[in-house]
Amino acid sequence: MASNGVAEQQAFAPVLAALATLQGNVERTQKSQAHDFLERFQKSPEAWAAMHSLLRSDASAEAKIFAATTLKGKITYDIDQLPRASLVALRDSILSLLASYRLGPRPIRTQLCVCLANLAIQMIEWKDVLEVVVSALGNNPESGSCVLEFLRVLPEEVTEGRKITLTEEELDIRTNELLGNNAVQVLRLLTQYSQSSASAAVNPQLMECITSWLREIPVAEIVKSPLLSTIVNALSSNDSFEAAVECLCAIFKETRDVDENIEVIRNLFPRVAGLRPKIAETAIGQDMDAFRGITRVFAEAGEAWVVLIARMPEQFRPLVESVLECAARDSDREAISLTFKFWYELKLYLVLEKYIEARVQFVDIFSQLVDIMIKHLEFPVPEGSDETDLFDGDHEQEERFREFRHQMGDVLKDCCEVIGVTDCLGKSFELIQKWVTTYGRGATDDEVPHWQELEAPLFSMRAMGRMVDREENIILPQLMPLIVMIPDHEKVRFAAIMVLGRYTEWTSGHPEFLEPQLNYIIAAFNNKSKDVVRAAAMALKFFCVDCKNLLVGHAEQLEKFYESILDKLPPASQEEVTEGVASVVSVQPTDKLYEMIRLYCNPIVEKLMAKANAARDEKGKLAVADHLQLLTLFIQVVNPYVPSGQENPAVKYCQEVFPILGAIVDNFNGFTPICERICRCWRYMLISYRTAMQPLLPQLAEKLVSGFANSRLGCFLWVTSSVVREFSDERDLVDPATTEAIYQFFEQQCLTMLRALDKVPPEDLPDVIEDFFRLLIDALLYYPNRLIPSPLFGPIFDAALTALTLQQVEPLRPTLHYLRDVLSYGGDNPPTGALDKSPIEIQQTVKNLLSSKGEILVQRILTGLMFNFPKDNMPDASGVLIALVELLPNNVSPWILSTIQMLPAGSVSQNESDRVMGNINKWIGASEFKKVRYTLQDFTTSYRRRNVAPRDGLGRLEAARFRFSG
């Protein structure tokens, strides 16, 4: 297909120059130009011959890898550029190239194998694929790796066949021809190769090939063939160990249906059990890669056969013991996480009454597992005397260890479910008691000997807290007095406080333990460690939330403490403590609630005003924003029940502070964090007090309208959404005049937004667009009879079409949801809300709008699917398109064809366009709308892979600028 002539060398010379530019030390603009050239070249018809020539030249390996990769892309996406009659010549040329690269370099050889596999999928007339490939590459040892490489990639590429432009039916037939019909022959080839030499038997490519074909060759055939021994023996070779582990684990996955594969498992199990000596061998030899591999083998065998383990605990006990030994011997904690899933899945079966016998059989195993986990929870012992640096300055390792401890905590929870919480807690208690007896006398605040052995069982208690019933009366009554005597070592004190914070629900049922625990936590606020203070703040929050009814009479003393420590805490801890004390305020008697809110909140508001008056720079303004959150927390938490007709004390206080918040938002209208925090506060007023907020509505609406008009910040729109939801027609106790006023207020916000979009491109307003369409979703749900006939309905639709030009997930998602809801009102099934069924006039209004603007909607959706929509938005976009097809089936097909015809010249062949439109028309005619969706998904996905958005714009598909004159 290509020669080594001068003309061919000249054809790829610009490619070599562009590659050299990309790899060279040149300006960014030159690299960008080189990248653009290569991108265009890869799509061009000339690339076929040029890349063949490059692969036959003496160019660098990097250039040849580029050539092979380009050729792969051409075969996958641009096969229509070649006459069908030339595909045999293309196949022979690739086989010739493969033969010349049979010894490597491997990356080039792999890409050529992928080329050949993709060509085989699309050349449906090529029936003897395996015979031709094996014959062309030869049976000599040198060609063995090349054949194995092709056999490995073939199932993988067929599985990914949706990227090939074949119909589903053609792909199913071709899959059976290439894989199913060749399974027996491949098994024979692999067996012959494994027996051809000692080196062949430990070739990792052989293991990779077996793994790749496991879905096609029945696992029973592999297990009863000589290949099983080959795989197991390969575990003794360093070169093939990793591939053999992968292969064995893939075999286990194929046996997950244990009833269907019981004979296979009976043959496999002794071979797996026989690997147990390798656990000690690799652990003692400190070969951590091998130890990790062996652990994975046992863990994944256990996962696959877990139901058999539950059914036949005696027979499969050696496997469970092996997994336990892996966990116990993992001194470096490098492999133990591989066992976590197994313990979880085994637990799921053992807790069932059906498997109570197995649970009894494995009690001792899970009891040992608790001991192992608690031991692994211990912090490392520093080599020197520096207790502050336990990980030799490796912060990444320290972070991994912290995350790892929480995963081990999940395993401890599993153990609690199997052997009982009391036994698990008892182990922690024994270890704490043992430490107190052994080292307690020698402990001081300055030095705590072997603190790791105390901290680990404390952490385990915290991890198991969720499993402990508040009625537990055996271990915890003995443990709690010990915990409040824990010495003042930073990590130990931190762990003790976190334990107390975790067991506050239990303490609420055992009030005799409340005071010493609370005193221990309050004393920690004076600790020099920031971590301990943060832990104290979190624990105090949980104490106040869970024990609020016990603290109801101590609210005034608690306020004095709250005010004294608040300014000393970081913002996150301020919020936690505030949430806690607010919980205590929330349970005060209603007649005392207003005064109690004032007692706690007035100092907050006074400090807020002082901070606002002093704020001159960004730091000062952020301090105002942080402080606003404290007031919001009280509004969130203090939500009393007040009978209808009575004044809500919390709303009474909101009326007092509203002018202050309004003044702050006016003064800091251009500062986003403050505006967002005040809007959040207003939003929670609506969420917490709902229609009781009606007296504040006029002031609130005024501030929301002026705030949005002056700032164009989306936060004013999400408060507007809350107003629309809470004061709609559907709400009780809302009079029609209020509802009408709310709708007029909503329309004013829409006008402001549409005017903003007229002046500013959507790219500059993505966050506001997101909030705007979230507001519209609510308005359409609660006010469809007003919004759809409104003169604003059409401009809002135009704004949605403009928003579809964006490329961010967040604004696109509500825009697409809004469009989907609009389409639903054109039919009989609108979203649940004010209408159970769309009236005829509403349906007709929607259909009239779509008749005039539907073609543009199709253009925007298809353009997004083919060029700029993020992956996460594609299901919603596809849903809008299909909803339009269902609503106006006769209109949409011509609109789709028109859009395809507007695509850049040469990007879609006439054959492809005819095939797509033929299928769409067929499925629309049969009302098979799901198949229309699949057809469009396949087309747009294939197009997107083959093409990139033109840098000079989309031509006729370019969106028009939004205009609004209202």
Side-chain angles (χ1 to χ4, degrees), residues 90-268:
L90 174 62
R91 178 195 68 187
D92 294 343
S93 178
I94 295 172
L95 283 168
S96 173
L97 286 169
L98 255 180
S100 63
Y101 284 99
R102 64 185 182 279
L103 300 180
R106 186 172 179 182
I108 299 174
R109 186 179 70 198
T110 300
Q111 291 298 319
L112 290 172
C113 286
V114 173
C115 289
L116 190 59
N118 278 313
L119 183 59
I121 297 169
Q122 296 184 82
M123 277 186 69
I124 55 179
E125 63 273 22
W126 182 16
K127 303 299 183 183
D128 53 347
V129 173
L130 251 58
E131 290 84 348
V132 169
V133 171
V134 173
S135 172
L137 297 179
N139 289 314
N140 57 68
E142 290 182 347
S143 301
S145 292
C146 194
V147 174
L148 288 174
E149 189 92 55
F150 174 74
L151 289 176
R152 179 183 68 80
V153 303
L154 182 61
E156 295 170 2
E157 295 304 310
V158 172
T159 304
E160 291 292 315
R162 284 192 67 82
K163 64 189 179 185
I164 302 295
T165 54
L166 295 179
T167 66
E168 290 285 343
E169 185 179 355
E170 288 173 333
L171 186 57
D172 287 343
I173 293 171
R174 196 60 178 152
T175 298
N176 189 55
E177 289 176 347
L178 291 174
L179 302 183
N181 294 349
N182 286 320
V184 174
Q185 185 181 353
V186 170
L187 178 61
R188 186 172 65 251
L189 282 171
L190 296 179
T191 303
Q192 290 172 352
Y193 177 80
S194 70
Q195 296 171 337
S196 63
S197 67
S199 60
V202 293
N203 185 347
Q205 286 183 277
L206 172 63
M207 310 302 149
E208 292 167 1
C209 196
I210 298 170
T211 303
S212 185
W213 277 84
L214 266 170
R215 288 189 178 179
E216 313 307 326
I217 303 173
V219 67
E221 297 299 317
I222 291 178
V223 169
K224 70 183 183 183
S225 76
L227 288 177
L228 178 60
S229 294
T230 301
I231 297 165
V232 173
N233 293 337
L235 292 170
S236 300
S237 166
N238 290 335
D239 292 337
S240 58
F241 177 82
E242 190 175 335
V245 168
E246 192 70 43
C247 188
L248 264 182
C249 292
I251 289 174
F252 299 151
K253 284 185 176 72
E254 292 299 314
T255 63
R256 276 185 174 274
D257 188 340
V258 295
D259 294 317
E260 186 177 312
N261 293 286
I262 189 66
E263 289 303 320
V264 175
I265 295 169
R266 284 190 178 127
N267 289 329
L268 267 175

Side-chain angles (χ1 to χ4, degrees), residues 490-775:
E490 179 185 1
K491 282 190 164 48
V492 174
R493 185 71 180 265
F494 176 88
I497 291 170
M498 294 300 281
V499 168
L500 295 180
R502 190 66 186 81
Y503 284 82
T504 50
E505 196 173 330
W506 180 87
T507 303
S508 69
H510 299 78
E512 66 272 22
F513 294 97
L514 175 63
E515 186 175 348
Q517 292 183 32
L518 204 52
N519 289 338
Y520 186 79
I521 288 170
I522 288 173
F525 279 93
N526 296 317
N527 196 284
K528 60 185 179 182
S529 166
K530 292 180 180 179
D531 286 342
V532 170
V533 173
R534 281 195 287 264
M538 185 182 297
L540 182 61
K541 179 187 82 169
F542 289 126
F543 261 97
C544 291
V545 170
D546 290 333
C547 304
K548 57 190 174 188
N549 292 312
L550 300 177
L551 295 170
V552 68
H554 303 278
E556 293 185 10
Q557 300 98 299
L558 192 60
E559 192 279 330
K560 291 183 175 62
F561 169 73
Y562 172 65
E563 192 173 352
S564 70
I565 56 100
L566 189 64
D567 291 340
K568 302 174 185 177
L569 299 175
S573 295
Q574 286 183 351
E575 292 178 18
E576 286 175 334
V577 173
T578 299
E579 185 180 344
V581 298
S583 298
V584 177
V585 173
S586 71
V587 293
Q588 298 297 310
T590 306
D591 59 338
K592 296 181 179 179
L593 188 57
Y594 172 70
E595 290 302 326
M596 196 59 69
I597 294 173
R598 283 177 55 86
L599 178 66
Y600 274 85
C601 291
N602 274 1
I604 293 175
V605 174
E606 289 167 8
K607 289 176 186 175
L608 177 64
M609 290 190 291
K611 287 176 183 287
N613 290 331
R616 297 290 180 270
D617 55 13
E618 185 172 355
K619 183 179 178 182
K621 293 176 184 178
L622 287 173
V624 175
D626 287 339
H627 208 72
L628 277 162
Q629 179 63 10
L630 305 183
L631 183 62
T632 303
L633 283 167
F634 272 96
I635 291 167
Q636 253 181 285
V637 175
V638 182
N639 184 9
Y641 169 74
V642 180
S644 176
Q646 294 185 20
E647 184 179 41
N648 188 312
V651 174
K652 181 180 178 182
Y653 188 75
C654 289
Q655 288 176 287
E656 289 183 17
V657 299
F658 190 89
I660 297 170
L661 298 178
I664 292 173
V665 87
D666 288 341
N667 291 333
F668 296 94
N669 199 259
F671 193 69
T672 303
I674 288 179
C675 291
E676 287 185 345
R677 287 297 174 89
I678 287 183
C679 285
R680 190 169 190 270
C681 185
W682 289 341
R683 182 167 173 265
Y684 272 105
M685 287 181 186
L686 291 161
I687 292 171
S688 293
Y689 312 129
R690 310 192 75 166
T691 53
M693 280 287 292
Q694 189 162 337
L696 267 171
L697 278 182
Q699 297 165 263
L700 179 59
E702 180 189 346
K703 289 299 178 185
L704 292 175
V705 169
S706 63
F708 182 53
N710 294 330
S711 70
R712 291 179 183 167
L713 291 176
C715 56
F716 294 99
L717 295 180
W718 33 271
V719 185
T720 304
S721 288
S722 296
V723 175
V724 167
R725 282 195 301 272
E726 294 303 330
F727 292 90
S728 68
D729 288 327
E730 293 190 337
R731 299 296 183 195
D732 296 332
L733 308 176
V734 179
D735 59 88
T738 300
T739 301
E740 181 60 32
I742 294 300
Y743 181 75
Q744 296 302 322
F745 152 63
F746 154 74
E747 280 205 337
Q748 184 60 50
Q749 298 291 64
C750 288
L751 284 168
T752 302
M753 181 64 189
L754 294 172
R755 289 165 185 159
L757 269 176
D758 178 63
K759 297 175 182 176
V760 181
E763 295 80 13
D764 294 345
L765 298 170
D767 295 340
V768 190
I769 287 173
E770 176 187 358
D771 293 316
F772 179 56
F773 281 101
R774 290 193 188 282
L775 166 61

Side-chain angles (χ1 to χ4, degrees), residues 351-406:
V351 296
L352 299 176
E353 189 66 30
K354 181 179 180 180
Y355 300 112
I356 187 67
E357 182 185 342
R359 183 175 178 179
V360 172
Q361 293 264 5
F362 291 131
V363 160
D364 63 321
I365 296 262
F366 276 85
S367 180
Q368 293 175 64
L369 183 60
V370 174
D371 298 330
I372 291 166
M373 289 296 154
I374 295 178
K375 187 64 181 173
H376 281 312
L377 285 172
E378 290 182 11
F379 275 96
V381 178
E383 294 182 5
S385 58
D386 186 2
E387 289 279 349
T388 62
D389 187 9
L390 303 174
F391 296 90
D392 298 326
D394 190 338
H395 296 296
E396 187 178 338
Q397 183 186 357
E398 182 176 3
E399 190 57 39
R400 280 201 310 269
F401 177 69
R402 291 181 187 279
E403 182 181 344
F404 173 67
R405 295 179 101 207
H406 289 288

Side-chain angles (χ1 to χ4, degrees), residues 445-475:
D445 286 346
D446 297 322
E447 185 177 351
V448 180
H450 301 277
W451 62 266
Q452 291 90 342
E453 296 176 24
L454 175 59
E455 193 275 344
L458 284 170
F459 184 92
S460 72
M461 277 192 66
R462 172 185 162 198
M464 294 184 285
R466 183 168 61 84
M467 311 304 297
V468 179
D469 192 275
R470 61 180 296 171
E471 306 302 324
E472 205 286 324
N473 284 315
I474 300 172
I475 302 297

